[in-house]
Amino acid sequence: MKIPADRLTALATSILTYAGGQKDAASRVATRLVSANLTGHDSHGVGMIPAYVDGIIAGTLHPDANIDVVQDKGPFLLVDGQRGFGHIVAEQAMELAIDRARTNHFAVLSLRNSFHLGRLGDWGAMAAEAGFICILYANVQSSRPLVAPFGGSDGRFVTNPYCTAIPATDSTPMFLLDMATSKIAMGKARVAHLSGKQVPEGALIDAQGNPTTDPSVMFDDAGGALTTFGDHKGFGLALLGDILGGSFSGGGAYLPEREMPSSITNNMMAILIDPDVFGMAQAFGVDMDRYTAWVKASPPAPGVDAVQLPGDPERRSLKNRTANGIFVDAGTLEQLRETALRAGMPRDELDTLISDKGLGA
């Protein structure tokens, strides 16, 4: 089913409001989730709502929480998210970091104990839109480890994303590299599982450590695992997410004693840099424009329309899905229906929201 963004946002807002009782927070979170869908990242879109409602019901997600500044040392900030909505507390923390970067030409933010941060790229883009280069490392703590180390046969950490954002110039759109350090995000395995599809070869191993393309191994409690992208290279970057995002913040790297049912806890390091700190922002932008043009001028390989830089696929998806609606598979829609009822939404209201008239076709 293809659903217009505004109607999907209304459904998401309603479910989260019934679950958490915080309409303003629910609306802000829903907008961020649908933005992920619009930019092609369904793994971080409205399909996350069941996990959020699970967290609210279990008390591992506090929908009314705001940040607590633990340490303030000028350009260095240590902030606790107090297990609030990641979309809320990360925005609050990044606003502080951007303010410090304006004063000091740089800032280092360490954010701990946030519930799921959503797309890490949202926070890189927020800094880049304010004019700063932004480098982000994050880790994830959940009910079980999901990603196997290179050379290992079971999960030892989670998808630990990495992001770098660079402000746009007059000629070049924002550079936004946002990626899980696993070959695919857990949410992509979830979407494939609910859609009855296979995942790419090399993305998963089963409980015995054997390669598989069947996403059900991640949901049958037997202990399948995702693999790291680029073998040992992605593995090294994943470790940095746990060390710099988790250990450095005091939130901790992934360890069994930190596992918590119905929880997705993120810790994050954000490094913000003023591109004009040396008075060379104009030259930096000109060189980036020339370099971008040079790279994109490479003749496309067979079957490829054009070379794309990080951020290009998201911009194309945003244009397409804004105009034509967001496809939501039947499995995800059914999960949203079940979650809405579990959150306390009256059935007649749900039926109205999810009817063809309510969501579109």
Side-chain angles (χ1 to χ4, degrees):
M1 182 183 230
K2 281 193 173 181
I3 304 172
D6 59 341
R7 296 181 185 178
L8 192 57
T9 303
L11 173 63
T13 299
S14 186
I15 295 172
L16 292 172
T17 300
Y18 273 104
Q22 304 289 325
K23 186 173 183 179
D24 179 65
S27 176
R28 292 165 65 188
V29 172
T31 299
R32 289 281 187 183
L33 291 173
V34 174
S35 174
N37 288 114
L38 283 169
T39 52
H41 295 281
D42 296 323
S43 57
H44 288 65
V46 296
M48 291 300 306
I49 289 175
Y52 293 3
V53 173
D54 285 346
I56 292 170
I57 292 172
T60 57
L61 167 55
H62 304 157
D64 58 347
N66 295 295
I67 60 170
D68 176 46
V69 178
V70 180
Q71 291 195 45
D72 182 344
K73 296 185 176 181
F76 298 94
L77 291 162
L78 174 60
V79 175
D80 196 295
Q82 303 194 97
R83 300 196 178 278
F85 276 122
H87 301 85
I88 303 294
V89 299
E91 183 174 310
Q92 293 173 343
M94 287 298 295
E95 284 173 349
L96 290 179
I98 288 167
D99 182 65
R100 300 309 167 84
R102 289 192 176 114
T103 301
N104 300 281
H105 296 293
F106 82 106
V108 177
L109 166 69
S110 197
L111 170 65
R112 69 190 186 198
N113 295 329
S114 165
F115 204 82
H116 186 244
L117 285 167
R119 282 186 64 215
L120 204 61
D122 279 354
W123 318 122
M126 184 176 173
E129 286 165 356
F132 298 99
I133 299 166
C134 186
I135 302 166
L136 296 147
Y137 298 91
N139 81 328
V140 191
Q141 296 166 355
S142 60
S143 58
R144 75 173 183 92
L146 301 173
V147 184
F150 179 66
S153 61
D154 68 351
R156 294 285 153 157
F157 43 84
V158 191
T159 50
N160 294 2
Y162 168 84
C163 176
T164 289
I166 301 173
T169 70
D170 290 340
S171 303
T172 303
M174 181 192 301
F175 179 102
L176 184 61
L177 175 63
D178 174 20
M179 61 187 191
T181 50
S182 52
K183 193 160 291 185
I184 61 172
M186 180 60 182
K188 293 188 185 301
R190 183 194 72 243
V191 170
H193 178 58
L194 291 173
S195 303
K197 298 178 180 178
Q198 300 292 290
V199 299
E201 290 187 7
L204 294 176
I205 57 175
D206 63 20
Q208 289 71 47
N210 299 310
T212 180
T213 60
D214 181 1
S216 69
V217 301
M218 299 301 299
F219 303 93
D220 61 8
D221 297 325
L226 303 168
T227 61
T228 55
F229 87 91
D231 301 326
H232 58 287
K233 297 178 182 180
F235 172 43
L237 201 54
L239 296 178
L240 288 178
D242 262 310
I243 294 166
L244 296 179
S247 299
F248 184 74
S249 69
Y254 197 104
L255 288 172
E257 56 265 32
R258 295 185 175 123
E259 293 175 0
M260 187 182 300
S262 302
S263 177
I264 308 170
T265 302
N266 285 137
N267 307 290
M268 177 181 79
M269 172 186 277
I271 303 167
L272 284 70
I273 304 168
D274 178 1
D276 201 36
V277 65
F278 301 125
M280 298 190 297
Q282 183 176 359
F284 171 62
V286 168
D287 203 61
M288 190 170 73
D289 289 343
R290 293 178 61 199
Y291 178 63
T292 299
W294 160 251
V295 171
K296 296 190 77 167
S298 176
V304 176
D305 293 332
V307 172
Q308 298 188 83
L309 264 62
D312 287 345
E314 287 82 359
R315 285 182 280 270
R316 188 180 67 250
S317 176
L318 176 62
K319 182 178 180 180
N320 177 34
R321 291 186 172 193
T322 299
N324 301 312
I326 298 164
F327 177 77
V328 180
D329 64 87
T332 298
L333 198 57
E334 182 57 30
Q335 277 198 345
L336 290 175
R337 182 189 295 275
E338 293 170 357
T339 300
L341 294 172
R342 194 154 42 90
M345 184 184 295
R347 188 177 293 274
D348 58 347
E349 181 178 342
L350 174 62
D351 289 342
T352 299
L353 281 170
I354 295 192
S355 69
D356 287 346
K357 184 178 179 181
L359 287 179

